[in-house]
Amino acid sequence: MSHARGRAGAVTPGRRSLRGQGEGRDATVERSRIAMARVLVVGAGLTGGLCAALLRRGRPASVAVWEQSRDSGGRMTTVQSAQDPHCRADLGAQYITCTPRSAQQHHSFYEELLTSGVLKPLAACIDGLVGKEGDRNFVAPHGISTVVKHFLKESGVEVSYGHRVTEIYLKDDKWEVHRDMGGSELFDIIILTMPVPQILQLQGDIKNLISESQKQQLASVRYSCRFALGLFYEAGTQIDVPWAAQYVPKNPYICFISIDNRKRDIDAANLGPSVVIHTTTSFGMENLEKNIEDVQDMILQQVSGVLPGLPTPTSTTCHRWTYSQVTKAFPNCPGQMTLHQNPLLVCGGDGFTRSSFDGCLESALHIMEALKPHL
């Protein structure tokens, strides 16, 4: 999208007395707007949301966020019951662990989330949770996706959903970005925050602009895969277990079960409980290509053995996490990788650090450092 300079600042003789100094101010504002870099953030997960917020807090830029799915959050996803939108379940990340080092380095970010009520200390019992000395765990009372939504709201950017990037071309010192729904737009800077394998699938000039060594490094990043199943119940349903969540040891199918509302310390009498089941990564790999309904039936069958007597849910949702967690990060974990310098195209996310809140935050901060000379 080109910016036409036009004649916004032109003043003809004899008209200055009518418009006065306001004309000069308007011209200055227009020149500032024209000079502002147009930045595209691809992905409305945690790294993308943080980048959008940090861009607003830094130098002026016109920011757009494109997300291929119907909602923000990425792997910090919260879903709701089909019968009751207030009955929610975290299908992705369950809680945030803050190490003493993170508490010191990222204090302002944690303080911001705690002060705003997005996070609160984890008070519920998680059976089998193994922590290190000094670690603190936090939950999001209204769902883990509110962490991402908080930063997107702070950015002031309206996310464009259903925008899956398919091709990127270099055109007149700008990036021409195509989406699968049709159409294209021009940007000065692109930040890619999707999983690394999706970066390698992009078509257009980007395929030739990434060097062979860069491709090899990107291809070395590995992810685990798993399924997550959410079960929703009517208000008043009792789930009689002594814990809020439990790691399931030595089970080839299920690794984690959460009474999700209890984990988030939401136990209102008029709100139905929700249960989340995470499968093992081996189960995820073995069944990755199977029909999602068939996988859901398999999980429910296995859950009945772990939690006999579990009530029949009023609704369910099953999600396939093809890119669940990073098992092998980008070499040396630099936080970001610059694929093209001018115009700038940079990529980041937990594939360049580690799968955690702090890993995504570190990546976003490294991306901002790469952007400084270009804004």
Side-chain angles (χ1 to χ4, degrees), residues 7 79 84 125 143 194 233 268 290 329 337 339 352 367-368:
R7 292 175 57 82
V79 295
D84 183 359
C125 171
M194 67 267 249
Y233 297 88
K290 289 185 179 177
M337 183 180 197
L339 299 179
F352 298 85
I367 290 170
M368 289 303 104

Side-chain angles (χ1 to χ4, degrees), residues 52-53 56 62-66 151-160:
R56 181 176 185 180
S62 172
V63 182
V65 178
W66 289 6
F151 291 112
L152 287 170
K153 182 179 179 181
E154 285 293 304
S155 76
V157 176
E158 186 172 340
V159 181
S160 298

Side-chain angles (χ1 to χ4, degrees), residues 225-227 248 251-255 278-285:
C225 56
R226 70 176 77 241
F227 290 86
V248 184
N251 188 297
Y253 309 102
I254 296 169
C255 70
H278 279 187
T279 70
T280 61
T281 57
S282 58
F283 177 90
M285 182 64 73

Side-chain angles (χ1 to χ4, degrees), residues 3 13 39 43 57 78 83 170 214 218 229 252 279 310 325 354:
H3 297 286
V39 182
R57 299 172 189 182
T78 304
Q83 280 73 36
L170 190 57
Q214 289 176 325
L218 290 170
L229 178 62
T279 70
L310 189 67
Q325 289 178 300
R354 60 194 181 282

Side-chain angles (χ1 to χ4, degrees), residues 48-256:
L50 283 162
C51 284
L54 291 169
L55 279 165
R56 181 176 185 180
R57 299 172 189 182
R59 299 181 185 181
S62 172
V63 182
V65 178
W66 289 6
E67 168 56 45
Q68 67 175 359
S69 67
R70 293 174 295 176
D71 199 4
S72 57
R75 280 163 284 163
M76 298 184 89
T77 289
T78 304
V79 295
Q80 60 190 35
S81 165
Q83 280 73 36
D84 183 359
H86 298 290
C87 182
R88 304 184 179 100
D90 294 330
L91 285 192
Q94 296 295 302
Y95 52 88
I96 290 175
T97 299
C98 177
T99 66
R101 178 174 176 268
S102 297
Q104 183 177 15
Q105 291 185 329
H106 303 149
H107 172 77
S108 62
F109 292 93
Y110 280 102
E111 188 66 25
E112 176 182 343
L113 293 170
L114 288 164
T115 301
S116 62
V118 175
L119 290 182
K120 68 178 183 180
L122 171 65
C125 171
I126 297 186
D127 190 25
L129 174 62
V130 178
K132 296 179 180 179
E133 185 177 354
D135 286 357
R136 298 177 64 198
N137 296 307
F138 301 99
V139 291
H142 301 292
I144 199 70
S145 67
T146 58
V147 175
V148 179
K149 294 179 189 298
H150 168 83
F151 291 112
L152 287 170
K153 182 179 179 181
E154 285 293 304
S155 76
V157 176
E158 186 172 340
V159 181
S160 298
Y161 296 105
H163 281 45
R164 184 173 73 87
V165 175
T166 55
E167 302 162 76
I168 299 176
Y169 294 93
L170 190 57
K171 186 173 182 179
D172 300 328
D173 295 325
K174 292 183 183 293
W175 296 111
E176 183 180 81
V177 186
H178 294 245
R179 49 185 180 261
D180 63 347
M181 63 188 296
S184 64
E185 294 186 39
L186 292 177
F187 295 92
D188 300 295
I189 297 170
I190 297 177
I191 302 171
L192 302 175
T193 69
M194 67 267 249
V196 172
Q198 294 179 354
I199 296 173
L200 292 170
Q201 293 168 9
L202 292 171
Q203 302 298 307
D205 291 337
I206 187 173
K207 291 188 68 176
N208 299 320
L209 293 172
I210 303 176
S211 69
E212 285 303 316
S213 62
Q214 289 176 325
K215 288 178 183 177
Q216 290 176 9
Q217 290 175 310
L218 290 170
S220 70
V221 179
R222 295 285 183 269
Y223 294 80
S224 62
C225 56
R226 70 176 77 241
F227 290 86
L229 178 62
L231 310 177
F232 301 97
Y233 297 88
E234 292 180 345
T237 302
Q238 297 296 317
I239 301 175
D240 297 321
V241 293
W243 37 260
Q246 179 187 58
Y247 285 94
V248 184
K250 300 179 181 179
N251 188 297
Y253 309 102
I254 296 169
C255 70
F256 182 82

